[in-house]
Amino acid sequence: MKVKVLCRNPDDYVRETTRDIQRVPRNYDPTLHPFEVPREYTRALNATKLERVFAKPFVASLDGHRDGISCITKHAKSLSTIISGACDGEVKVWNLTKQECLRTVQAHEGFVRGICSRFCGTSFFTVGDDKTIKQWNMEAPGYGVREEPINTILGKAVFTGIDHHQREGTFVTCGQTVDIWDEQRSSPIRSFSWGVDSFSCVRYNPVETELLASCASDRSIVLYDTRESAPLRKVIMQLRSNTLCWNPMEAYYFTCANEDYNLYTYDIRNLDVPVNVHMDHVSAVLDVDYSPTGREFVSASFDKTVRIFPKNQNHSREVYHTKRMQHVICVRWSADNKYVLSGSDEMNIRLWKANASEKLGLLSAREKAAANYNKKLIEKFQHHPQVKRIARHRHVPRDVLKQKRELQEMKEARRRKEQNVRKHSKPGSVPLLTEKEKHVVAVVE
Amino acid sequence: MAAVTPEMLTSTHVEKMNKKKPPKRYWEETENTDQSQRRPEEEQDKSEQNQNKSTVKERSLKRKNGERLEKKDPFPGEAPIPHKQLQKFQRGEKCKVPAGACKRLKEVTASSEAMSEHAQKQAARYDLLLPEDAGLLEGDEDEDTNTISQDDIADAVDITSGSKYFNLHLSQFGPYRLDYSRTGRHLLVGGKKGHVACMDWQTKDLMCEMNVMETVNDVKWLHTEAMFAVAQKRWLYIYDSKGVELHCVKKFNDVLRMQFLPYHFLLATASATGFLQYLDVSVGKEVAAICTKTGRLDVMAQNPHNAVIHLGHPNGTISLWSPNQKEPLAKMLCHRGAVRSLTVDKTGTYMVTSGLDRKIKVYDIRAFKPLHSCFQPAGASCLSLSQRGLLSAATGDIVQVYQNVLGSSPVSKPYMAHRLRGQIWGLAYCPFEDVLGIGHGEGFTSMIVPGAGEPNFDALDANPYRSHKQRQEWEVKALLEKVQPELIGLDPGQLSKVDQASFEQRHKEQVEALGFDPLAKDKFKPRRKKKGRSSAGAIEKRKRKVAHEDQRDEIRQSVQEHTEREKELKEKSKEKKLGNKSTLDRFRK
């Protein structure tokens, strides 16, 4: 007779001392783990609910300005420093970790229209309504020394925006024309104009550094190459674009914030049709900024909300608002991809988390693993109706909700009318246009 | 070639050699500076050697060099995994992307496929590291294993295993029903005449013992060893491990049999009045009460794979139930007489039944097909399947254990047999142990059945050695991922499959949910006009103008298509008629 009976030595399964960690022998045999899918689904549902429970995006409010914030910029080198300009001409430098103002400069008379940091982070430029460009040292002056700009340039017309080159000592301003300046000179090296009177925004391409894009008041977006004498091409849309931002990773894409409540992502290789139309705002979009990973962007709108869009989706994944936040004028995504800064009419800069339910601070390895697991679970079951319903639900202010419904109704009415017109006219005479094609009027070379 | 040896040395063992070497002088050749520089030299050397076969030393060096080049890993790549092992961890078929799918979908499916394949391989590899092997029993030549007595086995094995064969002589309150907890550590016995006791059966540590002074029909552990349910004469009672009565659930009366669904936290009960009821033990609510309309329910089993309850009826049928449906999911006619007992294996593939017609039958319950049956002269009153697929059948006072029942061929000879002193009332295998517990008229017997239990447990699921703290932790986790009773159905993997509801079906559901049909067209409402043009007749006229517009559109379209087709046909026939072409036709385009 040969017999063997299952007999386990408890020493192999129980920890040796109470200071030891518990032994957890595993067996991955699927028959020992029944109800795999329903249990995973339950976990996913719980993870989705917890994500919404922990969604507390508001981090801090930086107050101190005495008028509405008109522009914000990030420091080129330091993560914790931002510079903001207000409508009364005051510029403030902030430390984000301490959430305090480091320095206040009365830079201009009237609005500060634009700020940009030099690529090396030693100085920054401001432009204002007083027709001047001023260069300031990033370091605060010593005790008792007056705040003086390093350099002041008096222009002919009001400047509305400024951006600095990525590597060289040149910068670009816009106003009545788009001017390219050398830091050493007091007159522009080159001026571009294309039969329009004013520009609202100009941005250097972060990768192809000689390329420029600007938004003009004649509803067009104009592209320039600084090595050429004339502008490259422009695309005319149905309404004016306020600002634009280049995608930092795929720099052939840019997104513009339009007056018609939408954002448009364009591919510069094909300007005829936008790649994506991002709809969700219920009022004019005033500012847009990409995340440093180039996968998402944040937009600020006149409807008092900030929204975050994935770059390839038509609707926002997140909306931020507070009771006190008024029209949001400017918005920036921090360089560590974790925070979003919004400056609004009621004199506050607000700091938001880019991922609303993210836990801040140091995470233990187990916390990280759990967070990753939950993220994957939500992704896996994202199309199940219960999970989708919870993940999508956002509370928005009553005005926004009402206006959204109204817009929906208007859109439906327009669609119905177009359908009727098509039905009662000669076949082919009323072409079927997609949402993307509707908003571009023309592309001019 | 002289340069080779020092280079090899330096490459194998590092800096110290270099340090001892004297500094290089300018007349020495640049020897072991860079491999890319040295390579042409080497080749030159080789060619020279080929031309004039020079000294022995050089030749040996060359051989060495050659060997080094030729030497290969005898087992290149990853270690292969046996196909069978891989198969064990396969979940579902591979996804096929349709040819016309977009690029992004293709990428996503490819990456997720790769990921799941990787996981499958890792899991299969891990099998090698499992510490324990299953038990076994082999007889000598001409010796049947079923003639080996329990005493012999207990003598032959080590003391701890030997102590797993024991008898509890409880002749007063018998016959006994029993239940093992999910980890296999704790045993609960309940005598017909009211004696209930629970204990840690390995240490023989009695946790509580009492007499409820009522008939006890069935006993069952709940999710942990802290609570158990007892089906008494009238109501269902829940006690804790110290014997304190926690609840008397008066919604559940005359319960005869109980099953606990551990992942759903549901206690399913079958009553003498023909009701199948579900009690959610985590919140204490009745989830469903189903009137089966089939009389007294005293045969019950659960399918551990999909949590469907199987009920056996006196007319020989077996019905499958879920709490979501008032009708059975399926009904099978299994026996000519009444069903006496049934059990389902842990993969949810096989069901074994026994009936008054003295047959034991094995069914494939995925296909609802009988596989084979065998005749037992006395018939089996109790059946139980172990984790590794051993079937035990109780006939009168004898327990027989069969091996390989779940295959396709019928089995004639039992693997083991054991005679007891009283009528057998309850039969259960202990999870993760080679032990079969038998409740009978004279008490309780624990019998050793080598090869019955799963040797390697998963500590995150059921850990026999868990501490108090670990149990608490497990309880919280388990409660968090409690599966809702709505998800019980025949296929537990349904949730991960693509819902291919047809358009009509989805539309119907939408109409039901919304309360109106979103796609329905508004009825034409003629505008009210002035100057007497809105008389009933005028309105009717205007209505007539747009009546059946859709139909008219369709008809118009079909007529147009028809005419076009006829036109084409005509042209073709014309061409055929003009088969003899003129010479000038070749210039025609």
Side-chain angles (χ1 to χ4, degrees):
Chain A
M1 178 180 75
K2 226 168 88 180
V3 60
K4 180 189 175 296
V5 175
L6 204 56
C7 180
R8 300 189 187 89
N9 185 0
D11 291 348
D12 298 341
Y13 295 96
V14 178
R15 58 180 174 179
E16 280 170 13
T17 65
T18 46
R19 298 200 167 182
D20 220 346
I21 53 166
Q22 297 280 6
R23 287 208 170 116
V24 183
R26 301 297 312 270
N27 185 357
Y28 296 105
D29 190 349
T31 56
L32 286 182
H33 301 275
F35 306 105
E36 238 172 15
V37 180
R39 283 162 74 192
E40 214 169 43
Y41 170 75
T42 315
R43 281 181 200 169
L45 205 60
N46 287 344
T48 322
K49 285 175 187 169
L50 283 182
E51 196 202 15
R52 291 323 307 151
V53 167
F54 291 126
K56 300 268 185 274
F58 182 69
V59 180
S61 160
L62 310 176
D63 53 344
H65 272 297
R66 283 173 292 183
D67 208 338
I69 317 291
S70 60
C71 48
I72 304 180
T73 191
K74 297 172 271 188
H75 191 282
K77 295 286 180 196
S78 157
L79 277 180
S80 61
T81 312
I82 60 157
I83 309 159
S84 65
C87 296
D88 58 352
E90 204 176 48
V91 170
K92 276 180 185 280
V93 182
W94 303 87
N95 185 336
L96 287 183
T97 44
K98 291 182 188 163
Q99 297 168 14
E100 64 178 20
C101 178
L102 298 177
R103 191 180 157 200
T104 309
V105 184
Q106 185 62 42
H108 295 278
E109 286 165 27
F111 281 48
V112 180
R113 289 288 179 185
I115 305 182
C116 72
S117 162
R118 199 168 185 274
F119 59 89
C120 58
T122 52
S123 62
F124 63 90
F125 295 83
T126 59
V127 291
D129 270 357
D130 54 359
K131 301 182 188 174
T132 53
I133 306 169
K134 289 183 181 174
Q135 186 181 9
W136 304 84
N137 205 337
M138 199 65 88
E139 297 287 314
Y143 182 72
V145 183
R146 267 190 69 198
E147 286 272 11
E148 288 283 347
I150 304 173
N151 199 2
T152 306
I153 300 167
L154 194 64
K156 283 172 193 157
V158 173
F159 299 108
T160 54
I162 185 167
D163 197 18
H164 201 282
H165 193 274
Q166 296 284 325
R167 285 190 295 271
E168 291 163 14
T170 57
F171 60 90
V172 60
T173 60
C174 64
Q176 302 218 323
T177 55
V178 170
D179 300 328
I180 294 165
W181 303 73
D182 193 325
E183 281 175 5
Q184 312 300 329
R185 299 194 190 184
S186 59
S187 58
I189 336 175
R190 186 168 299 155
S191 288
F192 293 109
S193 63
W194 194 341
V196 282
D197 51 357
S198 78
F199 294 89
S200 62
C201 167
V202 65
R203 290 284 182 99
Y204 267 111
N205 189 320
V207 173
E208 203 61 55
T209 49
E210 303 302 322
L211 204 61
L212 280 173
S214 71
C215 300
S217 63
D218 69 338
R219 303 171 299 153
S220 67
I221 297 165
V222 192
L223 295 177
Y224 311 89
D225 191 334
T226 52
R227 292 160 297 193
E228 285 185 34
S229 57
L232 289 176
R233 64 182 75 151
K234 70 174 171 184
V235 51
I236 301 172
M237 302 180 66
Q238 283 197 326
L239 281 180
R240 187 163 63 92
S241 298
N242 287 315
T243 45
L244 61 79
C245 186
W246 293 95
N247 186 331
M249 298 311 276
E250 295 165 303
Y252 37 88
Y253 289 132
F254 66 84
T255 300
C256 61
N258 205 290
E259 283 282 322
D260 64 357
Y261 313 170
N262 296 340
L263 292 114
Y264 301 91
T265 300
Y266 279 98
D267 187 342
I268 51 170
R269 298 165 296 188
N270 178 22
L271 288 172
D272 298 330
V273 179
V275 180
N276 263 316
V277 182
H278 311 277
M279 296 174 281
D280 259 350
H281 279 297
V282 291
S283 189
V285 191
L286 297 183
D287 200 6
V288 57
D289 193 36
Y290 264 97
S291 78
T293 57
R295 314 194 73 173
E296 288 176 326
F297 59 83
V298 59
S299 66
S301 166
F302 200 71
D303 61 9
K304 307 175 188 176
T305 61
V306 172
R307 282 182 187 266
I308 297 175
F309 293 83
K311 67 158 190 193
N312 51 8
Q313 277 175 29
N314 297 339
H315 290 280
S316 61
R317 74 155 170 85
E318 194 67 77
V319 55
Y320 293 158
H321 57 87
T322 68
K323 259 185 189 167
R324 297 181 180 186
M325 189 162 72
Q326 297 302 311
H327 314 303
V328 194
I329 309 291
C330 49
V331 70
R332 284 292 175 272
W333 200 305
S334 77
D336 59 352
N337 195 27
K338 282 202 163 177
Y339 301 99
V340 165
L341 290 151
S342 69
S344 45
D345 249 359
E346 85 315 325
M347 308 181 276
N348 275 327
I349 300 171
R350 288 193 169 76
L351 185 64
W352 308 87
K353 284 192 256 180
N355 185 2
S357 57
E358 192 185 26
K359 195 180 170 195
L360 294 180
L362 276 181
L363 295 184
S364 69
R366 283 174 66 187
E367 275 179 312
K368 260 184 221 165
N372 285 341
Y373 180 60
N374 282 349
K375 208 169 130 195
K376 188 74 196 173
L377 275 179
I378 296 172
E379 188 197 321
K380 183 176 174 184
F381 288 95
Q382 62 185 334
H383 298 299
H384 284 253
Q386 284 297 313
V387 176
K388 197 159 125 193
R389 185 181 65 86
I390 297 167
R392 267 186 51 196
H393 180 257
R394 294 286 180 283
H395 174 257
V396 288
R398 173 172 289 256
D399 294 343
V400 176
L401 195 70
K402 262 188 186 163
Q403 226 160 344
K404 189 182 145 199
R405 283 187 192 141
E406 202 171 293
L407 283 176
Q408 230 163 14
E409 206 149 297
M410 283 159 70
K411 198 176 164 189
E412 177 58 24
R414 232 171 276 143
R415 191 191 65 83
R416 206 168 45 231
K417 170 144 195 184
E418 199 187 291
Q419 220 172 28
N420 287 342
V421 170
R422 187 171 296 119
K423 202 193 273 173
H424 294 287
S425 48
K426 196 177 160 195
S429 64
V430 183
L432 208 64
L433 283 179
T434 59
E435 186 63 41
K436 287 176 187 174
E437 290 162 336
K438 273 177 197 167
H439 304 279
V440 179
V441 175
V443 177
V444 188
E445 290 281 332
Chain B
M1 226 23 228
V4 175
T5 39
E7 201 277 333
M8 278 171 67
L9 279 172
T10 50
S11 67
T12 49
H13 274 283
V14 242
E15 330 252 59
K16 277 189 180 173
M17 289 290 289
N18 277 345
K19 272 184 190 170
K20 279 178 187 172
K21 265 198 304 176
K24 214 174 286 166
R25 308 306 299 268
Y26 68 92
W27 62 83
E28 280 178 357
E29 282 181 11
T30 50
E31 286 180 340
N32 42 8
T33 47
D34 195 0
Q35 273 203 324
S36 59
Q37 281 182 1
R38 205 168 43 71
R39 206 163 280 152
E41 275 178 44
E42 225 176 40
E43 279 169 21
Q44 235 177 17
D45 282 0
K46 269 185 197 169
S47 60
E48 274 175 32
Q49 279 171 5
N50 285 343
Q51 279 170 11
N52 49 346
K53 308 220 163 181
S54 46
T55 55
V56 185
K57 203 179 177 183
E58 271 180 338
R59 230 179 285 163
S60 69
L61 268 176
K62 183 193 167 192
R63 206 188 304 141
K64 248 187 194 170
N65 207 13
E67 270 172 20
R68 200 180 58 167
L69 286 175
E70 281 169 21
K71 208 169 186 180
K72 277 179 191 166
D73 183 3
F75 308 106
E78 289 181 325
I81 309 166
H83 180 69
K84 210 175 169 188
Q85 213 160 312
L86 269 182
Q87 202 77 32
K88 191 171 140 191
F89 294 96
Q90 181 144 25
R91 288 167 171 89
E93 300 278 297
K94 272 197 174 175
C95 172
K96 271 182 192 168
V97 186
C102 72
K103 197 177 149 198
R104 189 168 152 66
L105 177 67
K106 275 182 195 168
E107 278 172 11
V108 168
T109 29
S111 75
S112 71
E113 280 293 330
M115 214 120 74
S116 65
E117 201 168 298
H118 178 70
Q120 184 190 353
K121 268 187 190 168
Q122 298 284 72
R125 284 242 158 80
Y126 186 83
D127 250 15
L128 200 68
L129 302 173
L130 295 177
E132 304 281 344
D133 293 320
L136 61 91
L137 175 66
E138 280 172 15
D140 298 331
E141 282 177 39
D142 323 322
E143 188 192 20
D144 268 341
T145 49
N146 56 20
T147 59
I148 300 170
S149 74
Q150 282 293 309
D151 289 314
D152 290 344
I153 293 175
D155 285 341
V157 295
D158 55 319
I159 300 173
T160 34
S161 305
S163 70
K164 285 172 189 170
Y165 167 60
F166 62 92
N167 287 302
L168 301 177
H169 296 287
L170 307 161
S171 50
Q172 240 181 323
F173 303 108
Y176 279 86
R177 298 273 309 167
L178 74 149
D179 187 39
Y180 284 104
S181 68
R182 272 190 73 220
T183 56
R185 285 295 290 225
H186 300 275
L187 171 71
L188 178 66
V189 291
K192 184 89 187 164
K193 289 171 192 144
H195 175 220
V196 176
C198 61
M199 57 183 170
D200 185 336
W201 68 270
Q202 286 182 359
T203 58
K204 315 286 189 298
D205 185 10
L206 188 67
M207 291 156 79
C208 83
E209 188 178 15
M210 58 178 168
N211 198 313
V212 296
M213 309 298 280
E214 240 181 352
T215 313
V216 168
N217 289 322
D218 201 1
V219 287
K220 210 82 196 166
W221 284 110
L222 298 186
H223 57 286
T224 61
E225 53 272 14
M227 278 194 284
F228 59 86
V230 179
Q232 294 179 13
K233 192 185 173 197
R234 290 200 67 184
W235 317 124
L236 173 72
Y237 288 80
I238 291 175
Y239 297 93
D240 80 347
S241 61
K242 292 199 177 81
V244 179
E245 182 187 318
L246 297 177
H247 303 288
C248 166
V249 193
K250 291 199 175 168
K251 263 194 172 176
F252 291 65
N253 59 327
D254 303 318
V255 175
L256 294 179
R257 289 288 177 268
M258 292 188 288
Q259 285 292 336
F260 184 68
L261 310 175
Y263 295 97
H264 303 77
F265 287 83
L266 288 181
L267 183 72
T269 62
S271 70
T273 52
F275 270 87
L276 172 66
Q277 284 166 297
Y278 287 86
L279 176 73
D280 190 330
V281 297
S282 63
V283 291
K285 268 187 186 164
E286 189 189 40
V287 169
I290 304 164
C291 178
T292 59
K293 297 171 196 159
T294 46
R296 193 181 159 84
L297 301 171
D298 58 352
V299 181
M300 185 187 199
Q302 67 161 307
N303 185 339
H305 175 64
N306 56 13
V308 166
I309 294 291
H310 293 226
L311 294 176
H313 304 295
N315 59 359
T317 55
I318 282 170
S319 51
L320 277 57
W321 300 85
S322 89
N324 310 316
Q325 213 172 308
K326 295 282 174 202
E327 302 294 313
L329 299 170
K331 253 184 176 180
M332 303 165 73
L333 180 62
C334 295
H335 288 280
R336 296 230 170 141
V339 180
R340 289 183 76 186
S341 177
L342 73 109
T343 177
V344 184
D345 88 314
K346 69 166 178 177
T347 59
T349 318
Y350 303 104
M351 175 174 74
V352 186
T353 63
S354 73
L356 272 181
D357 57 356
R358 295 181 287 174
K359 273 182 178 169
I360 293 180
K361 288 186 175 177
V362 181
Y363 285 86
D364 183 342
I365 39 172
R366 292 173 304 181
F368 300 112
K369 269 183 188 159
L371 290 176
H372 51 83
S373 70
C374 66
F375 183 77
Q376 268 213 334
S381 63
C382 287
L383 291 173
S384 178
L385 270 169
S386 85
Q387 282 176 320
R388 296 189 69 240
L390 296 189
L391 174 74
S392 63
T395 55
D397 58 348
I398 300 173
V399 176
Q400 288 176 324
V401 181
Y402 294 91
Q403 227 175 3
N404 305 327
V405 201
L406 303 181
S408 51
S409 60
V411 187
S412 54
K413 230 196 293 181
Y415 167 62
M416 289 180 78
H418 187 59
R419 179 184 284 273
L420 300 142
R421 289 163 82 205
Q423 187 74 19
I424 291 166
W425 205 250
L427 208 57
Y429 278 102
C430 179
F432 309 112
E433 290 290 346
D434 284 346
V435 164
L436 172 67
I438 307 157
H440 49 82
E442 294 292 304
F444 169 81
T445 301
S446 168
M447 171 187 168
I448 299 173
V449 182
E454 172 67 42
N456 297 296
F457 58 85
D458 190 297
L460 292 189
D461 200 51
N463 184 359
Y465 297 96
R466 67 187 174 192
S467 63
H468 182 65
K469 203 87 188 166
Q470 274 179 309
R471 198 199 78 194
Q472 287 179 336
E473 197 104 323
W474 170 86
E475 201 170 348
V476 171
K477 284 258 167 68
L479 278 167
L480 274 177
E481 56 186 55
K482 181 183 98 169
V483 182
Q484 289 305 313
E486 291 85 59
L487 300 180
I488 296 179
L490 281 176
D491 182 7
Q494 189 77 44
L495 215 52
S496 68
K497 284 171 187 157
V498 179
D499 180 19
Q500 284 170 326
S502 64
F503 174 75
E504 287 89 18
Q505 197 181 340
R506 264 181 294 158
H507 181 235
K508 209 172 146 191
E509 276 169 17
Q510 205 180 10
V511 170
E512 260 174 39
L514 291 172
F516 65 95
D517 188 354
L519 298 182
K521 274 195 166 176
D522 298 342
K523 219 176 174 188
F524 175 69
K525 251 190 206 162
R527 221 181 266 164
R528 172 145 185 92
K529 289 186 175 177
K530 285 176 183 169
K531 295 180 185 169
R533 283 189 293 173
S534 267
S535 66
I539 284 177
E540 206 50 44
K541 245 186 203 172
R542 265 186 277 153
K543 270 189 188 169
R544 187 112 9 108
K545 273 184 198 167
V546 292
H548 312 300
E549 196 151 86
D550 301 340
Q551 277 185 356
R552 275 195 263 166
D553 269 349
E554 263 175 39
I555 291 166
R556 210 173 290 145
Q557 212 169 354
S558 69
V559 165
Q560 201 178 344
E561 276 174 17
H562 187 75
T563 47
E564 273 177 17
R565 216 181 303 137
E566 277 200 342
K567 217 178 180 182
E568 268 181 31
L569 276 175
K570 246 183 195 174
E571 275 182 13
K572 266 188 187 172
S573 60
K574 242 184 195 176
E575 274 181 20
K576 267 187 188 173
K577 268 184 189 172
L578 296 170
N580 43 355
K581 287 174 185 170
S582 68
T583 45
L584 289 175
D585 270 347
R586 75 182 76 161
F587 301 110
R588 206 179 268 166
K589 269 199 174 176

